Amino acid sequence: MSLVNFTTREITCKIVYYGPGRSGKTTNLHYIYGRVPETRRGRMVSLATQTDRTLFFDFLPIDLGQISGFATRFQLYTVPGQVYYNATRRLVLQGADGVVFVGDSQARQLDENIESLQNLQSNLLEHGVDVRTMPLVMQYNKQDLPRELILTQAELDDALNFRSVPSFAADALHGKGVFETLKGISELVLKKLAAGSPAA
Amino acid sequence: MTSTLNPRFTFETFVVGAANRLAVTAGRTVAENPGSAYNPLFIYSGSGLGKTHVLMAIGHAAKAIAAQLNIEYLTLDEYVEAFHAAIAAGQGDAFRRRFQNVDVLLVDDVQFLTNRKEMQAELLRLTEALQQAGHQIVLASDRPPAEIADLDERLISRFSGGLVVDMGIPDYETRVAILRRKADERGSAFQPGVLETVAKVEYPNVRELMGALNRLIAFQAVNDTPINDEAARKVLGIPTAASPAGATPAAAAPTAASPDEFSQFLTDVTVTVGKAVEAWRARVAEAVLRWEGEGYRTGRLEKLLDQETPAAVDEAIAAYVQDVERLRALETEVATLDPQAAGEKVFRDPDRMQEAEAAAAKVRDGAAPPPAPSAAFPLESYVPGPSNDVGLNAARDVIGKPGKKYNPLVLVGRSGLGKTHLLNAIGLELAKKKNAVVACLSTQAFVDELIAAIDGNRVDWWRARYKRATALLLDDIQLLAGKERTQEELFNLFNQFLDADKQLVFTAPAHPNTLEGLEERIVSRLEGGLVAEIGEPDKELRRSVLDKLLVTHRIPAEPALLDYLADRPIESVRNLTGLVQRVVDAAAAQDAPVSAGLARDVLEGAPPAGTRRTTGLRTSGIVVSSAGGVRSREKMVWDWPQASDRVIEDLR
């Protein structure tokens, strides 16, 4: 994991958007892509099928420029949400500096959310990473749907966020909460790099 | 199963610009003459530049020309799905027949063929079948065939066999045209200059350009007033006219006017990073990683990091760097003297400076420079004459431009003609130059040194010693004969010297290509420079040499004596020296002054007892010493002794 490279003065953060299928991970990336000036973003690699379901992963590099003398780069990845793509998910998760869990706020999707969260935990363990040490934020997407179909942020926090990590209500399609989420995970990731001794 | 053609995607609604003209022209041609013009036609471009539009437009145009044509458009995924479904239903053959009857097959997103071997085989079969039947196939992808990972070679060649065209990002004019047409289609009108402003932004594809237009249309619909240039900039987050579009400065000060989410995010991250990376820690950690990466011990710096707020961090880093620089210098110096010693760990630990200095001093003491030229052979005492002027001139050139003019210089001549003198003289002159290290020795000594080095397991050191030299001068190169290892080492040195324009000078008794026991690669290198022959001393040269010899023996140079001695048949300067010595010895024995008469008695009469006669004295002058060899008849005639000498010899 090359989080901070003091030699080349680079900070590279790999942030993975994780969550069940169709929860809006790719939509998050598309929204961010649309807001980042052209000069700052790389080519967005999107391997999606005709129905916009992620086959492998989406990849969006963002160059934040020089921050405190460090060339700062973010690499945003999504994973394919469908259950049967677990090998791919594990691969994408490798070397992640932070994870955004994009949950689907619809009440009927709660089980999928829980299953995906458990899957995240076990996949991180496979990489020898304790989920408690991994910077993580929750995003409850599709909050724009009719009230009767969805759970509120508080309800979802109760159901999913037992580690009390920062959580954000979002409507990725229209951009609400997207940058707040990105900011939340960035702060966690950068704080972790400050705590960890770079020479270690 | 297959997608229907989108009625909006026709050639009429496609805005043609320089970047896509070729693709559109090819598409129209294919639509007019399916299967005969470009088959297959392969269109590739980045996302959102109109591949699908052109593909469907081909379908529409072909249908418009010949309504009976069977036209199918589908994406590769759909093709895969259809294939799998057909296989599952046990109708693989029906599936193939169905596609083989298509007159114009339009396949989108072909890049997804990656890692799908069975689909590639299927598509290959289909392409072949369609081509044979004269049916058209058009493919679209986001990259050229050769760049689709894991694509079968046969498919690549098949795809490339028709026409491969790309579609680029539309230029400014095309973008304006696209915007105008799309705005028109939507029934929106903009103030002059608004669409031009949007077109100035280099969106990577038309889809995003459309997105921008959509935002403007929406904005204008909400606000009753028509949008103007400045408002359009605000809506789209385009920097104001002062800074050119598309070149936002790296600082990216958040524009107060528009709540730009990205700028806001950037500001937040900047604050976080600033907090995260304490400046001094960053500097120390940077130094640690840098020097650790270069192989130096960094314990001293790591101790700094353990402290909460160390004083004078920069001074500590600077002192460390200074020590590292010193270590580097020492290591470099040691490496030239003894490469083995340079690898020692002590040169990588700035906390053991004294030990490093001591180790370097030890190596310095042990490293003798290579043997230098002998001071007994200065250039001034080398007597010039017609017989050696080629060699002497070459030597002067070499001294003037070492390594540049004649490299190597090989001085060829028989024993005793002054090759060694000239070699050492060149060495002495070269050694006068700044920073010059001249290695000048006999080949025998060179061989012996190498043997000693091999014996002492210090070949590296031995090599390094010669590599340091700026010139290498070896006497009697013929002695290398049969010494394979020395030839090997010399060969390597030879190449290094030639590459570095360092001068090489050798002496040999005969032309290098006549020397036996020398490897071809050495011989060819010796021949590659200048081979200068030094001839037998001519009369003029002999007189000059005699003059000098008589002066050194404090004998008055009487013309009769000089003439007599100079006319003696001799082969070399060395013989001449021997001649004079004999006369001087005889004179001393008889206690008589040296004169022409005495000389004649000594040299032609019975030799005084105890004086050994030099071999060759009795020879005719054309018999050659064993070391050399006369190779040409011409040379023999050329070197014929004076007539008087010959008569004397003949008389005996």
Side-chain angles (χ1 to χ4, degrees):
Chain A
M1 182 167 73
S2 59
L3 183 63
V4 178
N5 190 336
F6 282 89
T7 317
T8 56
R9 291 194 152 260
E10 280 179 359
I11 300 179
T12 308
C13 298
K14 175 175 177 178
I15 294 169
V16 176
Y17 281 69
Y18 207 95
R22 315 223 67 178
S23 64
K25 301 174 291 294
T26 301
T27 313
N28 263 278
L29 251 63
H30 276 295
Y31 184 82
I32 294 167
Y33 182 82
R35 293 296 172 281
V36 179
E38 201 185 337
T39 49
R40 299 300 190 85
R41 68 186 184 208
R43 211 172 97 98
M44 177 157 172
V45 179
S46 194
L47 296 183
T49 58
Q50 198 64 10
T51 48
D52 263 347
R53 305 188 74 170
T54 307
L55 259 187
F56 193 55
F57 61 79
D58 303 313
F59 168 66
L60 171 59
I62 310 176
D63 185 2
L64 303 189
Q66 291 277 327
I67 298 181
S68 301
F70 282 76
T72 308
R73 271 189 212 98
F74 277 36
Q75 296 177 339
L76 309 185
Y77 285 80
T78 66
V79 294
Q82 287 71 23
V83 179
Y84 38 89
Y85 287 130
N86 197 40
T88 311
R89 269 200 296 280
R90 203 153 52 220
L91 200 68
V92 176
L93 211 50
Q94 197 167 24
D97 299 310
V99 175
V100 174
F101 183 85
V102 182
D104 192 326
S105 298
Q106 296 177 81
R108 61 187 173 85
Q109 294 290 328
L110 188 60
D111 285 348
E112 274 80 357
N113 287 334
I114 292 169
E115 195 187 333
S116 179
L117 206 52
Q118 283 166 345
N119 177 254
L120 168 66
Q121 199 163 341
S122 73
N123 278 339
L124 281 175
L125 264 181
E126 294 256 351
H127 288 304
V129 179
D130 188 341
V131 73
R132 285 168 294 186
T133 63
M134 172 64 80
L136 172 75
V137 299
M138 313 288 279
Q139 183 189 76
Y140 307 128
N141 199 13
K142 308 193 186 177
Q143 286 285 324
D144 56 321
L145 291 179
R147 178 69 196 88
E148 58 274 19
L149 290 180
I150 60 168
L151 301 174
T152 63
Q153 185 173 358
E155 286 166 334
L156 284 160
D157 266 339
D158 281 345
L160 303 170
N161 192 3
F162 30 83
R163 280 178 51 215
S164 300
V165 297
S167 68
F168 303 89
D171 165 15
L173 205 55
H174 303 101
K176 184 176 163 287
V178 169
F179 268 95
E180 287 81 348
T181 311
L182 182 59
K183 188 185 143 195
I185 189 66
S186 312
E187 280 180 356
L188 288 189
V189 168
L190 293 169
K191 266 180 201 149
K192 193 183 172 205
L193 88 87
S197 167
Chain B
M1 187 70 68
T2 53
S3 311
T4 47
L5 298 178
N6 186 327
R8 286 194 295 118
F9 288 173
T10 63
F11 280 126
E12 286 68 38
T13 57
F14 193 79
V15 181
V16 182
N20 55 27
R21 181 164 289 120
L22 185 59
V24 171
T25 311
R28 278 185 185 277
T29 312
V30 161
E32 284 161 20
N33 313 289
S36 57
Y38 310 115
N39 202 15
L41 173 63
F42 192 103
I43 301 169
Y44 72 94
S45 78
S47 175
L49 292 176
K51 291 186 299 288
T52 305
H53 192 141
V54 171
L55 220 52
M56 291 191 169
I58 292 172
H60 283 301
K63 197 87 184 165
I65 293 167
Q68 81 284 359
L69 283 181
N70 183 4
I71 292 163
E72 281 228 46
Y73 165 87
L74 74 173
T75 65
L76 188 82
D77 273 335
E78 289 167 342
Y79 182 70
V80 172
E81 272 177 45
F83 179 66
H84 285 173
I87 293 293
Q91 295 182 327
D93 285 336
F95 172 84
R96 284 181 195 132
R97 268 201 307 282
R98 174 191 147 201
F99 279 101
Q100 280 167 17
N101 289 328
V102 173
D103 293 305
V104 180
L105 180 65
L106 310 160
V107 187
D108 210 347
D109 290 333
V110 181
Q111 68 272 16
F112 288 120
L113 276 173
T114 299
N115 291 331
R116 284 175 161 165
K117 286 286 172 211
E118 85 286 1
M119 277 331 294
Q120 294 186 15
E122 191 59 33
L123 196 64
L124 182 67
R125 196 179 308 154
L126 178 61
T127 312
E128 276 170 357
L130 287 174
Q131 278 181 319
Q132 274 175 12
H135 296 173
Q136 180 70 43
I137 180 161
V138 185
L139 305 130
S141 163
D142 67 0
R143 65 203 77 174
E147 279 177 38
I148 299 176
D150 288 321
L151 192 61
D152 193 320
E153 281 295 329
R154 291 170 298 172
L155 264 183
I156 294 178
S157 72
R158 191 111 1 220
F159 287 172
S160 313
L163 179 68
V164 179
V165 284
D166 71 333
M167 292 165 55
I169 298 167
D171 49 26
Y172 168 75
E173 288 79 0
T174 315
R175 291 199 293 270
V176 173
I178 292 173
L179 287 169
R180 284 194 185 148
R181 185 178 294 188
K182 294 293 167 189
D184 219 37
E185 279 175 19
R186 309 279 177 85
S188 300
F190 289 95
Q191 286 191 351
V194 171
L195 292 181
E196 283 74 3
T197 303
V198 180
K200 273 182 195 146
V201 183
E202 289 181 1
Y203 288 103
N205 58 51
V206 179
R207 217 169 272 152
E208 289 188 30
L209 190 65
M210 288 304 99
L213 180 68
N214 288 343
R215 258 176 286 160
L216 289 187
I217 292 173
F219 194 83
Q220 191 159 266
V222 180
N223 302 285
D224 291 327
T225 50
I227 197 164
N228 60 16
D229 191 1
E230 201 187 318
R233 284 177 191 281
K234 266 189 191 170
V235 170
L236 300 177
I238 307 170
T240 46
S243 63
T248 39
T255 42
S258 68
D260 179 349
E261 282 177 293
F262 180 73
S263 302
Q264 189 59 47
F265 169 71
L266 203 56
T267 314
D268 293 339
V269 170
T270 306
V271 173
T272 315
V273 173
K275 276 188 213 154
V277 186
E278 274 180 86
W280 72 265
R281 276 187 193 278
R283 288 202 299 280
V284 175
E286 181 189 2
V288 167
L289 279 168
R290 170 167 176 209
W291 296 114
E292 209 172 51
E294 298 200 11
Y296 291 93
R297 302 285 298 270
T298 53
R300 204 198 299 176
L301 294 177
E302 280 160 35
K303 276 184 200 137
L304 283 177
L305 279 178
D306 294 340
Q307 300 171 35
E308 271 306 308
T309 46
V313 171
D314 291 321
E315 286 78 354
I317 296 178
Y320 178 87
V321 172
Q322 206 179 350
D323 284 351
V324 168
E325 297 295 345
R326 176 68 190 146
L327 284 181
R328 256 193 196 161
L330 288 176
E331 199 181 1
T332 315
E333 186 192 348
V334 167
T336 58
L337 301 176
D338 185 354
Q340 273 173 348
E344 282 178 22
K345 277 184 183 165
V346 71
F347 296 114
R348 292 296 173 132
D349 191 349
D351 292 337
R352 289 162 64 193
M353 290 305 289
Q354 284 182 343
E355 286 173 61
E357 292 281 1
K362 201 171 140 198
V363 173
R364 228 175 274 142
D365 290 344
S374 163
F377 300 107
L379 190 61
E380 301 79 61
S381 67
Y382 192 79
V383 183
S387 59
N388 62 19
D389 61 351
V390 175
L392 191 59
N393 281 336
R396 291 214 172 96
D397 283 337
V398 161
I399 292 162
K401 289 180 179 172
K404 297 276 194 292
K405 189 134 188 186
Y406 305 122
N407 204 14
L409 172 64
V410 184
L411 301 169
V412 173
R414 268 184 256 150
S415 174
L417 294 180
K419 300 188 301 291
T420 305
H421 187 151
L422 193 52
L423 185 84
N424 279 280
I426 294 171
L428 288 172
E429 291 300 316
L430 288 178
K432 286 178 187 165
K433 295 184 190 290
K434 205 180 160 201
N435 294 332
V437 180
V438 177
C440 180
L441 68 164
S442 76
T443 300
Q444 189 57 53
F446 188 73
V447 175
D448 291 344
E449 270 196 3
L450 177 61
I451 293 170
I454 294 172
D455 192 28
N457 202 15
R458 330 204 293 155
V459 179
D460 280 343
W461 167 85
W462 178 85
R463 277 190 203 125
R465 204 159 143 247
Y466 280 96
K467 276 183 203 161
R468 269 167 63 209
T470 54
L472 175 63
L473 296 81
L474 284 184
D475 201 6
D476 291 333
I477 194 71
Q478 76 279 5
L479 296 176
L480 277 180
K483 275 103 179 180
E484 288 168 13
R485 176 68 190 268
T486 315
Q487 293 197 29
E488 171 82 35
E489 293 290 342
L490 179 64
F491 174 74
N492 290 333
L493 272 177
F494 217 122
N495 289 341
Q496 284 162 7
F497 270 63
L498 287 184
D499 288 347
D501 278 347
K502 297 200 233 174
Q503 185 64 48
L504 291 149
V505 185
F506 303 96
T507 69
H511 222 273
N513 56 18
T514 63
L515 297 176
E516 288 192 2
L518 252 56
E519 290 173 17
E520 182 55 37
R521 52 183 180 169
I522 299 269
V523 172
S524 71
R525 274 168 179 70
L526 290 174
E527 294 276 346
L530 176 71
V531 178
E533 285 199 40
I534 296 177
E536 286 186 23
D538 51 276
K539 195 167 177 184
E540 201 179 311
L541 182 65
R542 286 185 235 169
R543 282 189 77 100
S544 313
V545 172
L546 281 170
D547 256 340
K548 284 201 177 182
L549 283 173
L550 294 181
V551 168
T552 45
H553 285 291
R554 297 207 181 84
I555 299 166
E558 291 171 29
L561 177 65
L562 265 181
D563 281 344
Y564 174 73
L565 286 175
D567 283 344
R568 295 301 303 161
I570 50 133
E571 296 171 352
S572 68
V573 176
R574 195 177 292 155
N575 286 358
L576 199 58
T577 315
L579 214 77
V580 172
Q581 191 63 49
R582 277 176 58 205
V583 174
V584 171
D585 287 351
Q590 297 172 21
D591 205 14
V594 178
S595 66
L598 177 80
R600 193 184 304 270
D601 286 348
V602 172
L603 300 175
E604 291 179 43
T611 311
R612 280 187 64 190
R613 292 181 57 161
T614 332
T615 52
L617 191 68
R618 280 172 162 284
T619 61
S620 64
I622 60 166
V623 177
V624 179
S625 74
S626 61
V630 176
R631 284 166 295 105
S632 83
R633 302 293 304 173
E634 284 172 31
K635 186 169 157 64
M636 288 172 69
V637 175
W638 181 263
D639 291 344
W640 213 270
Q642 309 273 316
S644 56
D645 290 344
R646 254 193 343 218
V647 172
I648 293 166
E649 296 287 322
D650 286 346
L651 283 174
R652 287 195 185 169

